[in-house]
Amino acid sequence: MIFNVEVKISLKKGMLNPESSTIERALDLLGYKVKNTDTIDIITFQMDEENEGKVLEEVEDMCQRLLCNPVIHDYEIVIRN
């Protein structure tokens, strides 16, 4: 069975995010008043597995080993079939 997977990766609260700071300053210079800008990376892919539980297990492992740094990142996994 084919499952569509989306992993959203963001910095944990309290971590410095220079990309967000730059975006906030640029938007302010353009006249937009925004606060608490956050950036996330979204990774999407498909997996061919027997069931959703197996997909979740493997994606959790991917996140821990490669896709993010669990010390500084939070992540959210969304699985659709």
Side-chain angles (χ1 to χ4, degrees):
M1 182 176 230
I2 301 294
F3 292 89
N4 294 304
V5 179
E6 179 180 273
V7 179
K8 298 177 184 178
I9 302 169
S10 60
L11 286 172
K12 289 186 176 193
K13 297 294 179 202
M15 297 301 298
L16 294 178
N17 189 338
E19 184 178 27
S20 289
S21 299
T22 300
I23 290 169
E24 248 181 61
R25 283 192 304 275
L27 288 171
D28 187 52
L29 290 171
L30 293 171
Y32 300 104
K33 302 298 179 197
V34 297
K35 295 289 180 205
N36 301 320
T37 305
D38 196 11
T39 58
I40 62 171
D41 292 319
I42 300 175
I43 301 169
T44 61
F45 52 93
Q46 292 183 326
M47 291 186 70
D48 187 5
E49 276 299 342
E50 297 172 13
N51 59 61
E52 187 173 329
K54 182 69 173 164
V55 172
L56 180 59
E57 181 183 311
E58 289 186 1
V59 175
E60 283 280 352
D61 189 50
M62 289 177 199
C63 289
Q64 293 291 320
R65 296 177 67 196
L66 176 71
L67 299 179
C68 66
N69 178 345
V71 174
I72 63 169
H73 293 121
D74 286 326
Y75 60 90
E76 175 186 347
I77 299 170
V78 178
I79 301 171
R80 297 182 185 90
N81 54 348

